[in-house]
């Protein structure tokens, strides 16, 4: 996808992950001593365990980002205070909340969950319930494994009224890390290429500059695929056989 990404899980998937989280949490809580989870410690462990998950899937780990943390904390607190649960419970989208905290985004993805407070639940049990629940849900798992995200934050809040724990996980890529490159048609006839699934027709002698949040491949013809690099310049040329060639300048 070219441009900014907004993610919001489907309701059916959200319900499935809540059921999974509740089962895991209650099972873990039954075997622990009576203690209250340390919510900040659980949030840090979720970050660490999500990064372990990413590395195991051959992806780069993310780095805690203070502006995303401010957005995650404010939203978790809002859901805990109002007991309203959705990605737009405060009337804003995840990217809008991140932007309001000064995070100029290229990508923002959000996972949320809630579960009931249980006597005897430990910090480890809360951490495991959330991480495992998100990993079991296809949409939430997909968010955790977005290759291009580099920043993250997690916050958890307890509702005094319902005794629900509300968790928010944000993953992002800042606008400053957008991938910029250009494609040039050096021939005397129109030429075509693709970025991901999108086709572009380039007039003779024309240059088109792209900005990508996701690393879609530049495809020329049926076989030539290039992973664009930031600042790259790629020149298309007509071949003697009537095809299209590409070179990086």
């Amino acid at each position: 996808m070219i441009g900014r990404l907004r993610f919001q899980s489907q309701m059916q998937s959200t319900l499935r992950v809540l059921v999974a989280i509740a089962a895991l949490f209650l099972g873990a809580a039954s075997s622990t001593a009576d203690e209250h989870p340390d919510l900040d410690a659980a949030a840090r462990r979720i970050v660490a365990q999500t990064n372990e998950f990413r590395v195991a899937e051959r992806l780069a780990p993310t780095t805690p980002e203070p502006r995303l943390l401010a957005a995650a904390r404010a939203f978790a607190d809002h859901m805990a205070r109002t007991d309203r649960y959705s990605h737009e419970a405060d009337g804003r989208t995840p990217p809008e909340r991140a932007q309001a905290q000064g995070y100029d985004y290229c990508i923002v993805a959000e996972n949320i969950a809630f579960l009931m407070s249980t006597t005897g639940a430990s910090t480890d049990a809360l951490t495991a319930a959330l991480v495992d629940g998100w990993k079991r849900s296809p949409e939430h798992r997909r968010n955790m494994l977005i290759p291009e995200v580099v920043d993250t934050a997690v916050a958890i809040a307890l509702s005094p009224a319902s005794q629900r724990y509300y968790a928010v996980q944000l993953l992002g890529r800042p606008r400053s890390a957008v991938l910029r490159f250009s494609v040039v048609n050096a021939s005397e006839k129109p030429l075509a290429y693709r970025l991901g699934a999108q086709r572009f027709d380039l007039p003779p002698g024309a240059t088109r500059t792209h900005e990508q949040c996701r690393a879609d491949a530049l495809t020329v013809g049926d076989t030539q695929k290039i992973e664009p690099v930031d600042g790259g310049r790629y020149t298309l040329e007509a071949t003697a056989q009537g095809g299209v060639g590409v070179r990086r300048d």
Side-chain angles (χ1 to χ4, degrees):
M1 180 181 293
I2 299 174
R4 298 189 178 193
L5 170 71
R6 171 189 165 192
F7 178 89
Q8 188 164 2
S9 299
Q10 296 297 319
M11 180 59 68
Q12 185 176 5
S13 175
T14 299
L15 293 174
R16 285 199 303 269
V17 77
L18 291 177
V19 171
I21 285 173
L24 285 163
F25 190 59
L26 291 171
S30 64
S31 62
T32 60
D34 187 4
E35 58 179 298
H36 297 288
D38 182 328
L39 301 188
D40 288 339
R44 290 192 297 270
R45 293 177 193 181
I46 290 170
V47 170
Q49 290 183 22
T50 299
N51 278 336
E52 291 171 4
F53 180 40
R54 288 177 61 85
V55 170
E57 295 293 322
R58 299 183 179 180
L59 298 174
T62 56
T63 301
E65 211 288 328
R67 291 163 296 185
L68 288 183
L69 181 57
R73 279 180 173 164
F75 190 45
D77 288 344
H78 176 85
M79 289 193 290
R81 185 172 62 254
T82 63
D83 277 316
R84 294 183 61 195
Y85 176 79
S86 80
H87 286 283
E88 298 184 9
D90 64 349
R92 296 185 294 180
T93 65
E96 288 171 345
R97 288 190 290 273
Q99 187 81 55
Q101 296 295 337
Y103 188 79
D104 190 19
Y105 68 91
C106 195
I107 296 173
V108 170
E110 179 181 84
N111 288 337
I112 59 175
F114 77 82
L115 52 119
M116 296 302 299
S117 173
T118 305
T119 300
S122 69
T123 303
D124 285 343
L126 178 61
T127 301
L130 291 167
V131 173
D132 292 344
W134 282 330
K135 286 167 70 173
R136 292 183 183 201
S137 163
E139 287 83 0
H140 298 82
R141 181 187 182 94
R142 190 177 302 121
N143 270 1
M144 298 167 83
L145 297 178
I146 295 174
E148 294 85 2
V149 296
V150 296
D151 297 325
T152 193
V154 175
I156 307 169
L158 176 63
S159 166
S162 67
Q163 292 298 294
R164 286 177 174 177
Y165 289 108
Y166 289 91
V168 178
Q169 180 183 55
L170 288 174
L171 301 121
R173 183 180 183 89
R175 191 71 187 170
S176 60
V178 69
L179 178 66
R180 295 181 177 88
F181 61 94
S182 59
V183 181
V184 181
N185 183 353
S187 76
E188 297 180 353
K189 66 176 185 177
L191 297 177
Y193 63 96
R194 296 192 306 277
L195 279 177
Q198 190 171 5
R199 175 190 167 104
F200 294 90
D201 293 298
L202 200 58
T207 298
R208 178 179 283 114
T209 299
H210 292 275
E211 291 188 350
Q212 287 196 129
C213 294
R214 290 190 178 257
D216 289 326
L218 170 64
T219 305
V220 178
D222 296 325
T223 60
Q224 298 181 80
K225 277 194 174 184
I226 296 174
E227 298 295 333
V229 299
D230 191 38
R233 178 181 169 91
Y234 301 92
T235 298
L236 306 181
E237 297 175 314
T239 66
Q241 295 75 26
V244 183
V246 59
R247 70 172 191 270
R248 180 183 173 188
D249 296 335

